């Protein structure tokens, strides 16, 4: 695209979002993100920026409209999963989550709020990317011998609805609860 986004961490533990023109290779705007927790992994598409956030309430995914300054926690704070590598693609926001105990790629339908597990790998799926003009998602799958590149067709009909996923029990919580 014609823009890129980066997070700036200041000495006073503040955060700002820098929007860069990729043609001019310079910052074209800066937005203050203080009060939104620890912000990382920005992804930009047009006037939307997806941000991963961690704060005392939990981990969340935020979409910021750079034209209006409005923010929305599209996945509200939770302590049950961590978010990374968001990526806009049409009506979906892809991201990496460890919800089931293994890092996989998930999709959030931005129109309905429904969530889906896109990949189901044994050791981890990372860094989703959709090449412009394609219907494929490329990602790195971690295996016993290292990372391998994988390309799959974007097929929402094959994705697992989030409500059907089972969060593995935390053995420490289970041990304390049984006492």
């Amino acid at each position: 695209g014609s823009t890129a986004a980066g997070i700036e961490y200041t000495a006073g533990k503040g955060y700002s979002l820098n929007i860069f023109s990729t043609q001019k290779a310079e910052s074209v705007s800066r937005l203050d993100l203080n009060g939104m927790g620890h912000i990382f992994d920005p992804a930009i598409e047009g006037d939307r920026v997806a941000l991963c956030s961690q704060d005392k309430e939990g981990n969340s995914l935020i979409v910021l409209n750079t034209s209006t300054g409005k923010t929305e926690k599209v996945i509200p704070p939770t302590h049950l999963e961590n978010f990374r590598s968001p990526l806009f693609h049409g009506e979906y926001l892809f991201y990496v989550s460890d919800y089931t105990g293994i890092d996989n790629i998930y999709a959030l339908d931005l129109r309905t709020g429904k969530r889906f597990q896109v990949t189901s790998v044994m050791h981890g799926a990372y860094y989703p990317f959709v090449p412009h003009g394609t219907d494929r998602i490329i990602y790195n799958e971690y295996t016993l011998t290292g990372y391998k590149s994988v390309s799959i067709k974007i097929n929402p009909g094959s994705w697992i609805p989030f409500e059907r996923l089972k969060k593995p029990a935390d053995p420490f919580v289970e041990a304390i609860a049984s006492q």
Side-chain angles (χ1 to χ4, degrees):
S2 62
T3 56
I7 302 295
E8 183 174 326
Y9 304 101
T10 63
K13 297 185 180 179
Y15 297 89
S16 64
L17 174 69
N18 281 325
I19 308 293
F20 292 89
S21 162
T22 56
Q23 286 131 1
K24 297 178 183 178
E26 62 185 35
S27 178
V28 293
S29 68
R30 177 175 284 146
L31 298 166
D32 178 18
L33 299 179
N34 289 323
M36 295 176 65
H38 172 65
I39 301 293
F40 59 99
D41 272 1
I44 189 167
E45 180 185 78
D47 61 358
R48 301 183 300 177
V49 179
L51 303 162
C52 299
S53 173
Q54 294 175 332
D55 63 20
K56 64 183 178 188
E57 294 177 8
N59 305 308
S60 60
L61 269 176
I62 298 169
V63 172
L64 166 69
N65 183 308
T66 58
S67 297
T68 65
K70 180 184 173 208
T71 61
E72 178 185 1
K73 289 185 178 181
V74 292
I75 299 181
T78 178
H79 292 286
L80 298 177
E81 60 186 315
N82 296 290
F83 306 107
R84 291 172 309 290
S85 304
L87 169 73
F88 288 106
H89 180 69
E91 66 267 12
Y92 294 104
L93 180 62
F94 291 106
Y95 60 95
V96 174
S97 170
D98 59 355
Y99 181 76
T100 63
I102 298 171
D103 290 332
N104 269 292
I105 297 170
Y106 291 77
L108 169 69
D109 185 326
L110 292 167
R111 298 165 304 169
T112 65
K114 291 187 182 280
R115 297 169 63 187
F116 304 90
Q117 184 177 345
V118 176
T119 62
S120 186
V121 301
M122 188 174 290
H123 299 292
Y126 305 94
Y127 313 114
F129 175 70
V130 177
H132 182 71
T134 72
D135 64 347
R136 302 194 71 78
I137 187 166
I138 298 170
Y139 62 93
N140 287 109
E141 180 179 342
Y142 190 74
T143 69
L144 292 176
T145 57
Y147 286 100
K148 71 176 183 178
S149 297
V150 178
S151 173
I152 60 171
K153 185 172 178 58
I154 297 173
N155 180 6
S158 68
W159 300 346
I160 302 167
F162 193 78
E163 58 273 6
R164 286 193 18 220
L165 300 175
K166 293 184 178 163
K167 177 79 174 155
D170 185 322
F172 299 108
V173 172
E174 294 296 319
I176 291 170
S178 69
Q179 293 179 5

PDB file of all heavy atoms in Angstrom, residues 22-43:
ATOM      1  N   THR A  22       4.773   5.527   2.087  1.00  0.00           N
ATOM      2  CA  THR A  22       5.800   4.624   1.550  1.00  0.00           C
ATOM      3  C   THR A  22       6.442   5.216   0.298  1.00  0.00           C
ATOM      4  O   THR A  22       7.554   4.832  -0.051  1.00  0.00           O
ATOM      5  CB  THR A  22       5.209   3.235   1.231  1.00  0.00           C
ATOM      6  OG1 THR A  22       4.111   3.381   0.340  1.00  0.00           O
ATOM      7  CG2 THR A  22       4.750   2.536   2.505  1.00  0.00           C
ATOM      8  N   GLN A  23       5.763   6.145  -0.362  1.00  0.00           N
ATOM      9  CA  GLN A  23       6.359   6.782  -1.539  1.00  0.00           C
ATOM     10  C   GLN A  23       7.378   7.844  -1.145  1.00  0.00           C
ATOM     11  O   GLN A  23       8.428   7.966  -1.773  1.00  0.00           O
ATOM     12  CB  GLN A  23       5.272   7.396  -2.420  1.00  0.00           C
ATOM     13  CG  GLN A  23       4.503   6.337  -3.182  1.00  0.00           C
ATOM     14  CD  GLN A  23       3.003   6.515  -3.072  1.00  0.00           C
ATOM     15  OE1 GLN A  23       2.514   7.449  -2.446  1.00  0.00           O
ATOM     16  NE2 GLN A  23       2.273   5.594  -3.670  1.00  0.00           N
ATOM     17  N   LYS A  24       7.096   8.610  -0.086  1.00  0.00           N
ATOM     18  CA  LYS A  24       8.005   9.666   0.358  1.00  0.00           C
ATOM     19  C   LYS A  24       8.965   9.189   1.435  1.00  0.00           C
ATOM     20  O   LYS A  24       9.916   9.890   1.769  1.00  0.00           O
ATOM     21  CB  LYS A  24       7.206  10.857   0.898  1.00  0.00           C
ATOM     22  CG  LYS A  24       6.332  11.527  -0.135  1.00  0.00           C
ATOM     23  CD  LYS A  24       5.545  12.658   0.494  1.00  0.00           C
ATOM     24  CE  LYS A  24       4.615  13.286  -0.503  1.00  0.00           C
ATOM     25  NZ  LYS A  24       3.802  14.348   0.099  1.00  0.00           N
ATOM     26  N   ALA A  25       8.691   8.025   2.019  1.00  0.00           N
ATOM     27  CA  ALA A  25       9.505   7.471   3.104  1.00  0.00           C
ATOM     28  C   ALA A  25       9.631   8.455   4.261  1.00  0.00           C
ATOM     29  O   ALA A  25      10.702   8.655   4.833  1.00  0.00           O
ATOM     30  CB  ALA A  25      10.879   7.036   2.601  1.00  0.00           C
ATOM     31  N   GLU A  26       8.505   9.069   4.624  1.00  0.00           N
ATOM     32  CA  GLU A  26       8.498  10.003   5.750  1.00  0.00           C
ATOM     33  C   GLU A  26       7.165   9.923   6.483  1.00  0.00           C
ATOM     34  O   GLU A  26       6.153   9.507   5.926  1.00  0.00           O
ATOM     35  CB  GLU A  26       8.776  11.431   5.284  1.00  0.00           C
ATOM     36  CG  GLU A  26       7.742  11.981   4.341  1.00  0.00           C
ATOM     37  CD  GLU A  26       8.107  13.364   3.782  1.00  0.00           C
ATOM     38  OE1 GLU A  26       9.298  13.636   3.545  1.00  0.00           O
ATOM     39  OE2 GLU A  26       7.176  14.158   3.593  1.00  0.00           O
ATOM     40  N   SER A  27       7.202  10.365   7.737  1.00  0.00           N
ATOM     41  CA  SER A  27       6.002  10.367   8.569  1.00  0.00           C
ATOM     42  C   SER A  27       5.032  11.430   8.063  1.00  0.00           C
ATOM     43  O   SER A  27       5.425  12.563   7.812  1.00  0.00           O
ATOM     44  CB  SER A  27       6.384  10.644  10.023  1.00  0.00           C
ATOM     45  OG  SER A  27       5.238  10.704  10.832  1.00  0.00           O
ATOM     46  N   VAL A  28       3.753  11.037   7.914  1.00  0.00           N
ATOM     47  CA  VAL A  28       2.740  11.995   7.469  1.00  0.00           C
ATOM     48  C   VAL A  28       1.775  12.356   8.592  1.00  0.00           C
ATOM     49  O   VAL A  28       1.084  13.362   8.506  1.00  0.00           O
ATOM     50  CB  VAL A  28       1.969  11.485   6.228  1.00  0.00           C
ATOM     51  CG1 VAL A  28       2.888  11.403   5.025  1.00  0.00           C
ATOM     52  CG2 VAL A  28       1.310  10.151   6.492  1.00  0.00           C
ATOM     53  N   SER A  29       1.717  11.523   9.649  1.00  0.00           N
ATOM     54  CA  SER A  29       0.897  11.869  10.811  1.00  0.00           C
ATOM     55  C   SER A  29       1.336  11.046  12.013  1.00  0.00           C
ATOM     56  O   SER A  29       1.952   9.990  11.878  1.00  0.00           O
ATOM     57  CB  SER A  29      -0.597  11.675  10.536  1.00  0.00           C
ATOM     58  OG  SER A  29      -0.903  10.315  10.397  1.00  0.00           O
ATOM     59  N   ARG A  30       0.985  11.570  13.182  1.00  0.00           N
ATOM     60  CA  ARG A  30       1.314  10.896  14.437  1.00  0.00           C
ATOM     61  C   ARG A  30       0.108  11.031  15.357  1.00  0.00           C
ATOM     62  O   ARG A  30      -0.425  12.107  15.526  1.00  0.00           O
ATOM     63  CB  ARG A  30       2.548  11.532  15.065  1.00  0.00           C
ATOM     64  CG  ARG A  30       2.903  10.932  16.415  1.00  0.00           C
ATOM     65  CD  ARG A  30       4.201  11.485  16.963  1.00  0.00           C
ATOM     66  NE  ARG A  30       5.271  10.850  16.231  1.00  0.00           N
ATOM     67  CZ  ARG A  30       6.418  11.437  15.923  1.00  0.00           C
ATOM     68  NH1 ARG A  30       6.634  12.671  16.287  1.00  0.00           N
ATOM     69  NH2 ARG A  30       7.340  10.800  15.252  1.00  0.00           N
ATOM     70  N   LEU A  31      -0.308   9.894  15.940  1.00  0.00           N
ATOM     71  CA  LEU A  31      -1.445   9.899  16.856  1.00  0.00           C
ATOM     72  C   LEU A  31      -1.000   9.412  18.227  1.00  0.00           C
ATOM     73  O   LEU A  31      -0.293   8.408  18.338  1.00  0.00           O
ATOM     74  CB  LEU A  31      -2.556   8.981  16.329  1.00  0.00           C
ATOM     75  CG  LEU A  31      -3.170   9.357  14.992  1.00  0.00           C
ATOM     76  CD1 LEU A  31      -3.976   8.203  14.438  1.00  0.00           C
ATOM     77  CD2 LEU A  31      -4.036  10.581  15.155  1.00  0.00           C
ATOM     78  N   ASP A  32      -1.444  10.086  19.271  1.00  0.00           N
ATOM     79  CA  ASP A  32      -1.133   9.717  20.646  1.00  0.00           C
ATOM     80  C   ASP A  32      -1.943   8.480  21.029  1.00  0.00           C
ATOM     81  O   ASP A  32      -3.152   8.435  20.834  1.00  0.00           O
ATOM     82  CB  ASP A  32      -1.478  10.893  21.559  1.00  0.00           C
ATOM     83  CG  ASP A  32      -1.232  10.604  23.024  1.00  0.00           C
ATOM     84  OD1 ASP A  32      -0.489   9.657  23.345  1.00  0.00           O
ATOM     85  OD2 ASP A  32      -1.795  11.338  23.860  1.00  0.00           O
ATOM     86  N   LEU A  33      -1.267   7.471  21.568  1.00  0.00           N
ATOM     87  CA  LEU A  33      -1.940   6.242  21.992  1.00  0.00           C
ATOM     88  C   LEU A  33      -1.840   6.018  23.501  1.00  0.00           C
ATOM     89  O   LEU A  33      -2.107   4.921  23.974  1.00  0.00           O
ATOM     90  CB  LEU A  33      -1.342   5.025  21.256  1.00  0.00           C
ATOM     91  CG  LEU A  33      -1.464   5.026  19.740  1.00  0.00           C
ATOM     92  CD1 LEU A  33      -0.800   3.786  19.166  1.00  0.00           C
ATOM     93  CD2 LEU A  33      -2.910   5.098  19.303  1.00  0.00           C
ATOM     94  N   ASN A  34      -1.453   7.024  24.241  1.00  0.00           N
ATOM     95  CA  ASN A  34      -1.330   6.864  25.686  1.00  0.00           C
ATOM     96  C   ASN A  34      -2.684   6.519  26.301  1.00  0.00           C
ATOM     97  O   ASN A  34      -3.723   6.958  25.838  1.00  0.00           O
ATOM     98  CB  ASN A  34      -0.764   8.140  26.320  1.00  0.00           C
ATOM     99  CG  ASN A  34       0.695   8.319  25.965  1.00  0.00           C
ATOM    100  OD1 ASN A  34       1.437   7.344  25.882  1.00  0.00           O
ATOM    101  ND2 ASN A  34       1.101   9.553  25.731  1.00  0.00           N
ATOM    102  N   GLY A  35      -2.654   5.682  27.316  1.00  0.00           N
ATOM    103  CA  GLY A  35      -3.863   5.258  27.995  1.00  0.00           C
ATOM    104  C   GLY A  35      -4.509   4.033  27.365  1.00  0.00           C
ATOM    105  O   GLY A  35      -5.565   3.589  27.810  1.00  0.00           O
ATOM    106  N   MET A  36      -3.875   3.483  26.335  1.00  0.00           N
ATOM    107  CA  MET A  36      -4.445   2.308  25.663  1.00  0.00           C
ATOM    108  C   MET A  36      -3.683   1.036  26.017  1.00  0.00           C
ATOM    109  O   MET A  36      -3.895   0.010  25.392  1.00  0.00           O
ATOM    110  CB  MET A  36      -4.438   2.513  24.142  1.00  0.00           C
ATOM    111  CG  MET A  36      -5.341   3.642  23.696  1.00  0.00           C
ATOM    112  SD  MET A  36      -5.260   3.960  21.922  1.00  0.00           S
ATOM    113  CE  MET A  36      -5.931   2.458  21.260  1.00  0.00           C
ATOM    114  N   GLY A  37      -2.807   1.096  27.003  1.00  0.00           N
ATOM    115  CA  GLY A  37      -2.018  -0.075  27.371  1.00  0.00           C
ATOM    116  C   GLY A  37      -0.741  -0.154  26.558  1.00  0.00           C
ATOM    117  O   GLY A  37      -0.343   0.799  25.895  1.00  0.00           O
ATOM    118  N   HIS A  38      -0.092  -1.309  26.632  1.00  0.00           N
ATOM    119  CA  HIS A  38       1.107  -1.563  25.830  1.00  0.00           C
ATOM    120  C   HIS A  38       0.634  -1.918  24.427  1.00  0.00           C
ATOM    121  O   HIS A  38      -0.076  -2.902  24.227  1.00  0.00           O
ATOM    122  CB  HIS A  38       1.916  -2.710  26.443  1.00  0.00           C
ATOM    123  CG  HIS A  38       3.046  -3.163  25.586  1.00  0.00           C
ATOM    124  ND1 HIS A  38       4.118  -2.370  25.298  1.00  0.00           N
ATOM    125  CD2 HIS A  38       3.250  -4.339  24.935  1.00  0.00           C
ATOM    126  CE1 HIS A  38       4.955  -3.030  24.513  1.00  0.00           C
ATOM    127  NE2 HIS A  38       4.447  -4.234  24.276  1.00  0.00           N
ATOM    128  N   ILE A  39       0.989  -1.104  23.456  1.00  0.00           N
ATOM    129  CA  ILE A  39       0.510  -1.243  22.079  1.00  0.00           C
ATOM    130  C   ILE A  39       1.631  -1.786  21.211  1.00  0.00           C
ATOM    131  O   ILE A  39       2.771  -1.331  21.302  1.00  0.00           O
ATOM    132  CB  ILE A  39       0.038   0.123  21.529  1.00  0.00           C
ATOM    133  CG1 ILE A  39      -1.072   0.704  22.392  1.00  0.00           C
ATOM    134  CG2 ILE A  39      -0.375   0.028  20.079  1.00  0.00           C
ATOM    135  CD1 ILE A  39      -2.367  -0.061  22.355  1.00  0.00           C
ATOM    136  N   PHE A  40       1.293  -2.754  20.333  1.00  0.00           N
ATOM    137  CA  PHE A  40       2.301  -3.318  19.431  1.00  0.00           C
ATOM    138  C   PHE A  40       1.641  -3.917  18.194  1.00  0.00           C
ATOM    139  O   PHE A  40       0.423  -4.029  18.121  1.00  0.00           O
ATOM    140  CB  PHE A  40       3.155  -4.358  20.162  1.00  0.00           C
ATOM    141  CG  PHE A  40       2.380  -5.504  20.739  1.00  0.00           C
ATOM    142  CD1 PHE A  40       2.308  -6.715  20.081  1.00  0.00           C
ATOM    143  CD2 PHE A  40       1.697  -5.362  21.941  1.00  0.00           C
ATOM    144  CE1 PHE A  40       1.585  -7.774  20.604  1.00  0.00           C
ATOM    145  CE2 PHE A  40       0.970  -6.417  22.474  1.00  0.00           C
ATOM    146  CZ  PHE A  40       0.919  -7.625  21.804  1.00  0.00           C
ATOM    147  N   ASP A  41       2.464  -4.301  17.231  1.00  0.00           N
ATOM    148  CA  ASP A  41       2.046  -4.972  15.987  1.00  0.00           C
ATOM    149  C   ASP A  41       0.972  -4.224  15.198  1.00  0.00           C
ATOM    150  O   ASP A  41      -0.093  -4.764  14.905  1.00  0.00           O
ATOM    151  CB  ASP A  41       1.536  -6.389  16.291  1.00  0.00           C
ATOM    152  CG  ASP A  41       2.624  -7.429  16.288  1.00  0.00           C
ATOM    153  OD1 ASP A  41       3.794  -7.063  16.075  1.00  0.00           O
ATOM    154  OD2 ASP A  41       2.315  -8.600  16.486  1.00  0.00           O
ATOM    155  N   PRO A  42       1.235  -2.990  14.765  1.00  0.00           N
ATOM    156  CA  PRO A  42       0.213  -2.287  13.986  1.00  0.00           C
ATOM    157  C   PRO A  42       0.082  -2.867  12.576  1.00  0.00           C
ATOM    158  O   PRO A  42       1.053  -3.343  11.992  1.00  0.00           O
ATOM    159  CB  PRO A  42       0.746  -0.856  13.929  1.00  0.00           C
ATOM    160  CG  PRO A  42       2.231  -1.023  13.977  1.00  0.00           C
ATOM    161  CD  PRO A  42       2.458  -2.202  14.907  1.00  0.00           C
ATOM    162  N   ALA A  43      -1.120  -2.850  12.042  1.00  0.00           N
ATOM    163  CA  ALA A  43      -1.394  -3.231  10.652  1.00  0.00           C
ATOM    164  C   ALA A  43      -2.318  -2.172  10.075  1.00  0.00           C
ATOM    165  O   ALA A  43      -3.337  -1.847  10.686  1.00  0.00           O
ATOM    166  CB  ALA A  43      -2.048  -4.598  10.583  1.00  0.00           C
TER     167      ALA A  43
END
